[in-house]
Amino acid sequence: MAIRKIARLGHPVLRQRAREIPLDLIATPDVQQLIDDMQETMREYEGVGLAAPQVHESVRLAITADIYDPGTGNTLLLAGKVLVNPEITFLTRAEEAYWEGCLSVPDLRGTVARPREIAVKAYDREGRKVEFQAEGFAATVIQHEFDHLDGIVFLDRMRDLKSLSFIKEFERYVADAGNE
Ligand code: NI
């Protein structure tokens, strides 16, 4: 396994539409290695999710860590996933706003409102079909990662930029104030 270099905003790979992974290639050493490396890279940089374009691989693959409720900090919302060629369906138009950050947009946090309930269809690292639903912060993380597969970053989803903060100031003026 290896920690991969993270593509930062401005790198064209972050603005491309990633290509699908043919299902018969999921089991190949190249794809399995990419998944292992993404998991190690996500852990190293303490990300809650990572999409392949963020490690300079323009393919439709995203992973998440175990996702916990940011309010309580210890309620598991969704166990970690490996998602190949994912498709998303919005189950509601109701939105919820959360603070987001991104390893490719280092040092910044901003609030983004997104649909609060989604259904996901994808393939796992064994090439098996997976289907599940997610809501709240887990739905936000999944949408954030899938956006990367279409060349979209969270800044594009902010309806205004007033909440945009550096992490240090966010921790000082927002997190400490108890806002979520
Ligand atoms: Ni991101």
Side-chain angles (χ1 to χ4, degrees), residues 99-150:
W99 287 93
E100 296 189 25
C102 182
L103 297 178
S104 297
V105 188
D107 291 334
L108 289 172
R109 290 279 182 278
T111 54
V112 185
R114 299 180 186 267
R116 67 171 311 276
E117 289 176 43
I118 59 170
V120 175
K121 285 186 192 178
Y123 294 88
D124 69 11
R125 68 180 299 166
E126 277 83 39
R128 293 177 302 220
K129 230 175 181 165
V130 288
E131 290 188 39
F132 62 94
Q133 295 186 6
E135 57 177 59
F137 185 61
T140 273
V141 172
I142 298 268
Q143 288 173 74
H144 175 122
E145 299 312 328
F146 291 0
D147 269 354
H148 279 301
L149 308 182
D150 292 323

Side-chain angles (χ1 to χ4, degrees), residues 24 34 85 100 121 124 137 167 180:
D24 57 347
L34 173 59
N85 300 342
E100 296 189 25
K121 285 186 192 178
D124 69 11
F137 185 61
I167 287 175
E180 188 43 65

